[in-house]
Amino acid sequence: MHMMDTPLLLTSFLDRAERFFHAKKIYSRTSPTTIHEITYKEYVKRTRKLADALTKLGMERGMKVGTFAWNHHRHLEAYFAVPCAGAVLHMINIRLSPEHIAYVINHAEDEILLIDDNLVPLIAPIVSQLKSVKHFIVMGDAIELEKIPLPNALSYEALLAEANDDFKFPDDLDENTPAGMCYTSATTGMPKGVVYTHRSIVLHSMVAGLSDSIAISEADVILPVVPMFHANAWGFPFAGVLFGATQVLPGPMFTPQLLLDLFETYKVTLTAGVPTIWLGVLQEQRENPRDLSSLRLIVCGGSASPLGLVRGFEEEHKIPYITGFGMTETSPLVSLSTYLTHMQDYTNDEKMDVRITQGLTVPLIETRVVNENGEVPWDGKTMGELTIRGPWIAGEYYNDERTKEAFKDGWLYTGDIAVVTVDGYIKITDRTKDLIKSGGEWISSVELENALMSHPKVFEAAVIAIPHEKWIERPLACVVPKPEFKESITKSELLEDLQSKFHKTWIPDDVVFLDEVPKTSVGKFMKAKLREDLKDFRVEV
Amino acid sequence: MHMMDTPLLLTSFLDRAERFFHAKKIYSRTSPTTIHEITYKEYVKRTRKLADALTKLGMERGMKVGTFAWNHHRHLEAYFAVPCAGAVLHMINIRLSPEHIAYVINHAEDEILLIDDNLVPLIAPIVSQLKSVKHFIVMGDAIELEKIPLPNALSYEALLAEANDDFKFPDDLDENTPAGMCYTSATTGMPKGVVYTHRSIVLHSMVAGLSDSIAISEADVILPVVPMFHANAWGFPFAGVLFGATQVLPGPMFTPQLLLDLFETYKVTLTAGVPTIWLGVLQEQRENPRDLSSLRLIVCGGSASPLGLVRGFEEEHKIPYITGFGMTETSPLVSLSTYLTHMQDYTNDEKMDVRITQGLTVPLIETRVVNENGEVPWDGKTMGELTIRGPWIAGEYYNDERTKEAFKDGWLYTGDIAVVTVDGYIKITDRTKDLIKSGGEWISSVELENALMSHPKVFEAAVIAIPHEKWIERPLACVVPKPEFKESITKSELLEDLQSKFHKTWIPDDVVFLDEVPKTSVGKFMKAKLREDLKDFRVEV
């Protein structure tokens, strides 16, 4: 043994927080009127109590413990109590359909479920379908168990009140021990599970602290808007504990107004969420400005940000706004649109063009954009499929035949179509299935959408393929106007605007005005739904 | 395989540098008048060539390849070519005695030696004692092989000229494969070897990029003054390649004047070295100021920094100056005197007191200061021995019986005596063997030294124990005055100054004026030598 064979374990994060960051704070909203304030010392104590309580209920190594909850301190306690005890934290996406929720709980074989009181109505109707769950534990500030329509429901706080805070986490775990799992929606069929390990989460957390990455630090006040039931909340809760950042957890309410209030009140420095969130926040900030001088970085992921959104934060508010790429399968951090030194000399427009890419691949991760000729040239034009490998990239779907569709030759094939800029930045142009192939040429619906969304009268836009006799597929623009332009907006002004930016073959054949773009549970445009809704649409000639 | 089992390998650093940082620069001084400028693209190409050339000479997996060299680009090429090929880079401390140099080469069983042309005179006299070396490769800008007094010497540049730059590094190495080794001087006997692995170096490099640590970044221009033959140059060369920092390697010359010239010319942002270096640099900067506005951080390690030195940089020049703790056995990064958020409210004096500690333990490493009662209280007073564990801490000395003296129960026992501040910062008070035990009470020679060195007339000071009939041991101050005070300084003014700061039992019994304090090869005070020189010293009563 040349070097000590110290395993990479989440337990070390808790120990570190307890020793060095005990006085730092976690703020946790559990209702519109309640914000809890606990120190890391109390947090670690409660986490030990939770582990003790769960162990008394029968939690053992390898057992799956599900959470069905918003972003708050109790969820954060489960984030560590379960894996540090050697069990597996299954973060269930509350926005799945009831059928899919039952499926993922049964497929993971969750034996204990931790459920927010306000989410019980989503679980109660499917209780009879759950095959493995032995204990339902309800999280909330004032649980009246007799009113909870779940069998033998237990109160989280009552369990903690009786538990010991000197619970000792095991010190003999292997770093490849499963620690967490999430399911991701599939194009067809049931969700697919991904299992994270202590090692993968530790390494992922370290990257989040790098100066050239998100640079999470003890000096930060972090507010993850991204849900803790979605891809580890992009790793923020884990990195937050490791580095001792102040955490602000927004609970079940995250309207633009409430988020901006939290940013201002707690002097938030770092936040993360999907573009839909930031569109709303930007609009609210324009109408009712708050003091956002503490905010040093907004991290956006999940889907591409329209240029107008990035400009809104960077130019109007001088807040750096970076885009990241990630998936449930990738823990999720793969790339970030941070700048390289030579970009200091870029014009502002060039800088914004960097910001809207999915960015530069982070250390320890490899990405390749490949087509039938191998890796594509870094020309910003040649498209290929994004493939990824690295120590926090899934190697398989959990007990799932579909593993072989996505994992080949040691690489994850993402199904995302991308180009690579001359600087090596990934730019997602489309999902394979969303690409429009018109007359043998690929048309990027994402680029058309971004252009449409930068139009001053447009709030949101999605571009889908519609069948076409001659060209096989043609683009159709589905546009949600801003409320004040609902009456005055015209198809022709939108199409004229596009004509100035794209080759004529790219111009959508028509524009449909909608009240909203249907979205997936994680806020991505649900193009399959749009295509279904508009499947009989024909362009009027 | 839940997550991909991607090993942590140095090869990934090279790949990353080649892909993303190919246009970044490495500046390398090889003589007082020669500074090479190469891009990372050329650097990686040359590194592949070196691996090809060494492989043709018989380098294979596990073979030890020694380097005997200053900080320059060729040494940096060896830093990666050797381990990425699966062999082991043995960085030999050129400041060891000839006897010890022969010992470490024989003990490591180095089969190839890479030697700077200007260091050949240190190897030539001991060639006959070297048992394992098959090839001597001489590094320099204009090698005349016929003038090299080594058997069958080869020219580094001639080998590269004939080598292929498409050498493929193996992709099947285990992350626990040995990558590098260094020897550290022992109190008695021959130096002891430490073997680093790919995993340990990768994890150590990641920590160097953390926002809360040294935060090495692509935007940095790093200049490690700490030699590349000493504890991996504190990890700077490895982290520099991983993060794509511009590197400035100062070669065989690093006088204060030359260092300051490099800082100014290349707009260095980050540098690292021992206090002796910074004492000289500070003095030169006071006399001949350069523009140091680019410098964002000085990292100091190896021994404690006098308060006056820290104040000089932080207050006079507004350059953050942090102290770190590390050893050859610890890769070396263990702790750093960065600030925690609540220290923003500290007075300037309190902040300086933080800076001169050895700092807060970095993520993934555990430290405990222990005495016979277990872990000492965090009171800044109670002394104990510093113990360390973590994934880049040695688990043993290489083929050495002395392993059992330092490694116990999974911890490294450092032999350093420390206290822990209320904030959890380590403060080294002495080496076990340097502690002065007077009348049953411990006296810290380091604290006395720091006080003496903050006196305006003192350049350097060491405090050693001298035998005493009644108290067993008593402190003796050995003082080097600043040149301009050589004639005017008096013992009494120094002792009076100490009397205002320490309990009377701590005041040295006498002061001896010296021209210099003898130092070890790595710049630490060689107190054993002082004690030997002064062993017959008796205080005049």
Side-chain angles (χ1 to χ4, degrees), chain B residues 275 278 300-301 303-310 321 323 355-356 358 450:
Chain B
W278 306 124
C300 185
S303 42
S305 291
L307 187 57
L309 178 58
V310 184
Y321 178 105
T323 306
R355 284 294 201 225
I356 60 169
Q358 276 64 34
N450 287 344

Side-chain angles (χ1 to χ4, degrees), chain B residues 10 12 32 57 71 73 120 138 157 184 200 226 286 355 474:
Chain B
L10 287 173
S12 72
L57 285 176
N71 294 12
H73 65 295
V120 167
V138 183
E157 290 298 331
T184 181
S200 74
V226 48
R286 281 173 177 155
R355 284 294 201 225
R474 286 295 301 154

Side-chain angles (χ1 to χ4, degrees), chain B residues 263-333:
Chain B
F263 292 161
E264 186 176 58
T265 305
Y266 295 105
K267 297 185 172 26
V268 169
T269 60
L270 174 62
T271 183
V274 294
T276 310
I277 295 288
W278 306 124
L279 283 165
V281 165
L282 183 63
Q283 194 161 318
E284 168 67 16
Q285 174 68 7
R286 281 173 177 155
E287 289 164 16
N288 300 297
R290 316 297 205 285
D291 176 4
L292 299 184
S293 57
S294 61
L295 209 50
R296 70 166 178 84
L297 185 66
I298 294 173
V299 182
C300 185
S303 42
S305 291
L307 187 57
L309 178 58
V310 184
R311 282 193 188 276
F313 282 105
E314 296 238 350
E315 293 173 7
E316 285 170 42
H317 300 292
K318 309 298 173 203
I319 301 170
Y321 178 105
I322 62 170
T323 306
F325 178 82
M327 309 165 71
T328 300
E329 291 89 333
T330 66
S331 293
L333 194 52

Side-chain angles (χ1 to χ4, degrees), chain B residues 98-126:
Chain B
E99 180 193 8
H100 284 185
I101 292 172
Y103 171 81
V104 301
I105 293 172
N106 288 333
H107 187 263
E109 300 181 86
D110 295 334
E111 297 188 41
I112 301 176
L113 274 191
L114 301 166
I115 308 167
D116 273 0
D117 52 356
N118 52 35
L119 295 174
V120 167
L122 295 179
I123 293 292
I126 58 167

Side-chain angles (χ1 to χ4, degrees), chain A residues 1-4 6 16 19 175 195 199 206 209 211-212 217-218 341 361 368 375 378 390 393 395-396, chain B residues 1-4 6 16 19 175 195 199 209 211-212 217-218 341 361 368 375 378 390 393 395-396:
Chain A
M1 185 183 58
H2 300 299
M3 289 279 122
M4 293 181 182
T6 317
R16 183 170 179 78
R19 288 175 76 79
E175 68 184 32
V195 176
R199 172 182 164 105
M206 290 293 283
S211 180
D212 281 342
S217 142
E218 189 268 338
T341 314
T361 305
R368 297 283 185 277
E375 188 174 1
W378 288 10
I393 310 301
E396 63 177 10
Chain B
M1 185 184 57
H2 301 299
M3 290 279 123
M4 291 181 183
T6 317
R16 184 171 178 77
R19 289 176 75 80
E175 67 184 34
V195 175
R199 173 184 164 104
S211 179
D212 281 343
S217 145
E218 189 268 338
T341 314
T361 306
R368 297 283 185 276
E375 188 174 1
W378 288 11
I393 309 302
E396 63 177 10

Side-chain angles (χ1 to χ4, degrees), chain A residues 1-8 12-13 15-16 19-22 24 175-176 178 194-197 199-200 202-203 206-207 209-212 215-220 242-243 329 331 339-342 360-368 375 378 388-396 398 407 410-412 422-425, chain B residues 1-8 12-13 15-16 19-22 24 175-176 178 194-197 199-200 202-203 206-207 209-212 215-220 242-243 329 331 339-342 360-368 375 378 388-396 398 407 410-412 422-425:
Chain A
M1 185 183 58
H2 300 299
M3 289 279 122
M4 293 181 182
D5 53 358
T6 317
L8 305 175
S12 72
F13 291 21
D15 288 345
R16 183 170 179 78
R19 288 175 76 79
F20 300 122
F21 312 125
H22 43 82
K24 297 292 300 282
E175 68 184 32
N176 292 307
V194 172
V195 176
Y196 310 105
T197 63
R199 172 182 164 105
S200 73
V202 169
L203 292 172
M206 290 293 283
V207 163
L210 293 178
S211 180
D212 281 342
I216 297 184
S217 142
E218 189 268 338
D220 272 317
L242 171 60
F243 298 116
E329 291 89 334
S331 294
Y339 294 132
L340 290 169
T341 314
H342 72 273
L360 200 68
T361 305
V362 299
L364 307 191
I365 295 294
E366 289 175 279
T367 55
R368 297 283 185 277
E375 188 174 1
W378 288 10
I388 311 174
R389 72 175 176 191
W392 54 88
I393 310 301
E396 63 177 10
Y398 179 65
F407 301 93
W411 292 81
L412 166 65
V422 290
D423 293 310
Y425 285 56
Chain B
M1 185 184 57
H2 301 299
M3 290 279 123
M4 291 181 183
D5 53 358
T6 317
L8 304 175
S12 72
F13 291 22
D15 288 344
R16 184 171 178 77
R19 289 176 75 80
F20 299 122
F21 311 126
H22 43 82
K24 298 291 300 284
E175 67 184 34
N176 292 309
V194 173
V195 175
Y196 311 105
T197 63
R199 173 184 164 104
S200 74
V202 168
L203 292 172
M206 290 293 283
V207 163
L210 293 178
S211 179
D212 281 343
I216 296 185
S217 145
E218 189 268 338
D220 272 318
L242 171 60
F243 298 115
E329 291 89 333
S331 293
Y339 294 132
L340 289 169
T341 314
H342 72 273
L360 200 68
T361 306
V362 298
L364 307 190
I365 295 294
E366 289 174 279
T367 55
R368 297 283 185 276
E375 188 174 1
W378 288 11
I388 312 174
R389 72 174 175 191
W392 54 88
I393 309 302
E396 63 177 10
Y398 179 66
F407 301 93
W411 292 81
L412 165 65
V422 289
D423 293 310
Y425 285 55

Side-chain angles (χ1 to χ4, degrees), chain A residues 44-61:
Chain A
V44 175
K45 201 177 257 194
R46 284 174 54 89
T47 301
R48 289 187 197 282
K49 284 187 174 187
L50 176 58
D52 183 57
L54 294 175
T55 301
K56 286 174 180 161
L57 286 176
M59 180 174 74
E60 47 188 44
R61 295 189 187 194

